[in-house]
Amino acid sequence: MCSLPDERAGRETAATITLSQPLGGGYHRLRFAPDTPARTVPGQFVMVRVRDGVAPLLRRPFSIHMVERGEVELLYREVGEGTAIMTGLKVGDIIDVLQPLGRGFGEGGEVPLLVGGGIGVAPLLYLAHSYLAAGKAPKLLLGGRTERDILCHDQFSCLAIPTKYATEDGSLGDTGLVTALLEDEFKAAEKLGALSVHACGPVPMLAAVARLAEGAGVACEVSLEAHMACGLGACLGCVVKARDGGYVRVCADGPVFDSKEILWP
Amino acid sequence: MAKKLDLSVKVGALELKNPLIAASGTFGYGSEFADFVDPASYGAIAVKGLSLNPKEGNPMPRIVETPAGMLNAIGLENVGLKRFIEEKMEYLRTLDTKVIANFFGNTVDDYALMASRLSEVDGVHALEMNISCPNVKAGGIAFGTDPKLAREVVLAARKETGLPLIVKLSPNVTDIKVLARAVEEAGADAISLINTLTGMAVNLDRRAPALANVTGGLSGPAIKPVALRMTWEALSAVKIPVIGLGGIVTGADALEFLCLGASAVQVGTANFIKPLSVLDILSEIEHYLTAKGIGSVTDFIGTFRIP
């Protein structure tokens, strides 16, 4: 990560909403222009204070979906009070943002496989851009319950990267789980060593992805999500079990982990 | 030009450049916040509670948001005394602020040993004994809620340290004055209160507790009225300095405790909401005192009157 003009790497900044777009199915795109831009890497996240006051009290964490011309885009599903308020924000409204937070994705292999389940696609667009810019040949594997849960067609299709879909009801792509697509990639690969896996989605999916990748000897990164209070590594409210004992913090040690760091359920 | 406002305060022998202390458990070991705010903006930092050995803490979920507050059941996860000294103190020593080592134990001997060992650590300016954490199933809870046990454990720690010894009281008692007097008699140099209030949240979807530990500690603006009442009661019961905390998120909140007579205040949950809280609170205090024509925080402390 590049350094900012002064010594502090992170910022609490006011940010102006520049786009608020419902995508149907409770999914939503929100873009903002921070007063003080920060240098970010794919996989990092932001903490949004959806409004002043004490309800809701805590910030909400969102992975960075895309960064373009200094503006940061979030992709989220409305799940409760905080996200409902976010969805009610209009272009021109001001939010208070902490960014950038956490450890992002690594360099990846020659052929990074980007694996997303449902809203887990959120950090993968920025990652795809970054890998393309680095001269890699990323592929995208997306899964969801139905076609409605497969997001960002347009944003990915203009990148023209090989993309496969799996839905549980067969409404788009293969019928089944995204993990089956990953198995196919492993089987078809000429050189497993060229692959790397970068996954985000529900924990059972990530656990299955991690098992497959480890079985095939392919490097695998996972991006975890968690309820958080501080987002800075202080409150210890967002931990997950680590494979070598104890806990790791999703916010500060992650949210992107080597899949081998995690003790999967 | 007007004389510069004097923000410094004294908590017994402990001199602070301003009355704000980062509350234990909400500011890590300082470095976690360094990207977002200068940790030395605080007059002192009470570090994450320490035990003799590292503690893994409770299973997840550990936190849940509640109206104007949050419940936590972290389970006192910490790096333990050895790693604190080896890995955390070097950074803390570089900060131009006071370091308060918060600690806890499961037996009287644990507390005595921790007090003794922490007193020898270069860069630790004061100790804060957590005798009140409601999250630990064994130990802690009994000391903070029973005057005899509280007296015994504070006596034992007192013998082992020459540093200012602050005892952090549990609010989960019938009469805080009894506990405050007990720890004063046992030799505490100061009292801090309140720790979190024991609470509970229900996940109605699952008809199950929201926290893996079932119960947790409530903090945030929701508890401020209780904290003010208990600070007031403690001040009426003891002569040693009292540090007030519980739900402070604004300068006005901090001033309310100071007005009652608290020698300093701690800021906790506000750090989670806004890392820059410390700077906002300080500037709000400055504005208030300037507007009232009061030249120093010490002149303001204890000016509360019941008409």
Side-chain angles (χ1 to χ4, degrees):
Chain A
M1 219 170 93
C2 309
S3 60
L4 284 158
D6 74 27
E7 73 279 11
R8 282 188 293 139
R11 280 290 180 288
E12 177 179 340
T13 179
T16 309
I17 306 291
T18 56
L19 173 84
S20 174
Q21 180 189 14
L23 300 175
Y27 297 104
H28 203 86
R29 278 170 76 186
L30 191 77
R31 197 186 297 155
F32 58 81
D35 282 2
T36 314
R39 295 197 200 286
T40 58
V41 295
Q44 288 189 304
F45 68 102
V46 303
M47 292 283 280
V48 177
R49 193 168 184 202
V50 297
R51 68 175 174 212
D52 279 346
V54 297
L57 185 69
L58 301 175
R59 288 171 187 270
R60 297 294 188 265
F62 299 94
S63 63
I64 297 171
H65 179 49
M66 191 57 208
V67 177
E68 244 174 334
R69 294 181 295 277
E71 296 193 1
V72 177
E73 189 169 310
L74 310 178
L75 174 72
Y76 63 89
R77 190 171 51 171
E78 206 178 299
V79 288
E81 190 194 0
T83 42
I85 294 167
M86 296 256 299
T87 299
L89 294 171
K90 290 176 181 60
V91 170
D93 286 350
I94 308 284
I95 50 173
D96 175 326
V97 179
L98 280 186
Q99 67 161 14
L101 298 167
R103 182 174 72 166
F105 287 102
E107 274 185 25
E110 294 162 44
V111 182
L113 302 176
L114 279 43
V115 186
I119 192 63
V121 70
L124 300 183
L125 181 69
Y126 189 19
L127 184 63
H129 275 272
S130 148
Y131 283 156
L132 283 171
K136 297 173 186 296
K139 292 184 181 179
L140 184 65
L141 310 176
L142 294 182
R145 279 190 310 276
T146 76
E147 188 177 5
R148 285 189 75 119
D149 302 303
I150 305 284
L151 304 165
C152 316
H153 287 289
D154 301 347
Q155 287 171 296
F156 279 111
S157 62
C158 67
L159 291 180
I161 60 178
T163 304
K164 288 180 182 162
Y165 302 106
T167 50
E168 289 171 45
D169 65 357
S171 52
L172 182 70
D174 290 5
T175 303
L177 300 174
V178 72
T179 43
L181 301 177
L182 184 63
E183 272 189 288
D184 293 345
E185 289 295 327
F186 287 164
K187 278 179 200 153
E190 288 171 22
K191 186 164 76 144
L192 277 173
L195 303 181
S196 60
V197 174
H198 313 270
C200 186
V203 168
M205 178 202 116
L206 294 179
V209 167
R211 259 196 314 277
L212 281 173
E214 283 183 39
V218 175
C220 177
E221 292 183 317
V222 295
S223 173
L224 301 182
E225 62 170 17
H227 288 289
M228 294 177 185
C230 72
L232 303 176
C235 75
L236 309 180
C238 67
V239 297
V240 291
K241 283 264 184 195
R243 202 174 294 186
D244 55 5
Y247 289 98
V248 284
R249 301 162 299 179
V250 172
C251 67
D253 301 314
V256 177
F257 293 92
D258 184 313
S259 68
K260 291 177 181 161
E261 293 177 85
I262 306 300
L263 183 66
W264 296 104
Chain B
M1 199 177 134
K3 199 165 156 258
K4 192 168 169 16
L5 199 60
D6 182 4
L7 292 174
S8 69
V9 296
K10 286 182 182 174
V11 181
L14 183 66
E15 296 182 16
L16 309 180
K17 65 184 175 186
N18 71 55
L20 304 187
I21 301 169
S24 177
T26 67
F27 209 63
Y29 303 98
S31 56
E32 291 87 343
F33 280 75
D35 280 348
F36 289 88
V37 66
D38 178 4
S41 306
Y42 275 108
I45 296 169
V47 301
K48 174 76 179 148
L50 298 160
S51 49
L52 200 52
N53 297 307
K55 207 165 177 315
E56 186 171 288
N58 286 332
M60 288 287 283
R62 291 177 169 188
I63 54 169
V64 61
E65 193 173 41
T66 59
M70 63 178 280
L71 283 162
N72 86 81
I74 306 300
L76 292 172
E77 176 178 345
N78 78 98
V79 297
L81 182 64
K82 187 165 176 285
R83 281 183 58 197
F84 171 68
I85 296 168
E86 290 172 0
E87 299 171 21
K88 308 296 180 185
M89 274 312 298
E90 188 182 346
Y91 173 76
L92 287 165
R93 274 192 292 268
T94 67
L95 299 177
D96 177 27
T97 187
K98 298 291 164 70
V99 174
I100 300 173
N102 180 291
F103 68 100
F104 65 96
N106 291 319
T107 65
V108 171
D109 289 347
D110 282 353
Y111 277 98
L113 187 56
M114 286 295 286
S116 160
R117 299 278 298 277
L118 285 167
S119 301
E120 293 161 8
V121 179
D122 178 32
V124 169
H125 301 96
L127 304 185
E128 182 178 53
M129 282 177 78
N130 174 8
I131 62 167
S132 52
C133 186
N135 295 338
V136 180
K137 286 172 182 153
I141 193 156
F143 293 113
T145 53
D146 179 327
K148 266 175 71 178
L149 289 175
R151 185 179 291 113
E152 184 190 359
V153 75
V154 174
L155 268 173
R158 174 75 282 171
K159 280 186 196 144
E160 301 297 330
T161 185
L163 289 177
L165 180 65
I166 303 160
V167 178
K168 190 169 183 177
L169 294 182
S170 166
N172 303 303
V173 296
T174 308
D175 187 351
I176 198 71
K177 299 189 290 298
V178 174
L179 274 299
R181 278 189 213 107
V183 303
E184 179 182 46
E185 283 164 23
D189 294 312
I191 285 168
S192 56
L193 82 172
I194 61 175
N195 206 323
T196 55
L197 285 157
T198 307
M200 190 169 164
V202 174
N203 180 325
L204 209 49
D205 277 344
R206 296 183 185 149
R207 287 179 269 176
L211 296 169
N213 190 58
V214 184
T215 60
L218 182 65
S219 67
I223 72 169
K224 193 185 75 171
V226 179
L228 284 168
R229 186 265 296 176
M230 288 196 158
T231 300
W232 174 242
E233 288 179 344
L235 282 161
S236 74
V238 297
K239 295 193 172 63
I240 54 175
V242 172
I243 299 168
L245 71 147
I248 295 175
V249 296
T250 66
D253 295 333
L255 286 161
E256 289 171 8
F257 284 87
L258 294 169
C259 177
L260 289 181
S263 302
V265 296
Q266 295 188 0
V267 177
T269 303
N271 292 309
F272 297 159
I273 308 165
K274 198 172 167 62
L276 295 172
S277 287
V278 55
L279 298 180
D280 291 352
I281 295 171
L282 278 176
S283 101
E284 286 161 28
I285 290 174
E286 286 174 357
H287 280 130
Y288 174 90
L289 294 178
T290 305
K292 295 282 181 188
I294 301 168
S296 73
V297 173
T298 50
D299 284 346
F300 174 75
I301 288 173
T303 51
F304 176 77
R305 292 289 176 271
I306 298 174

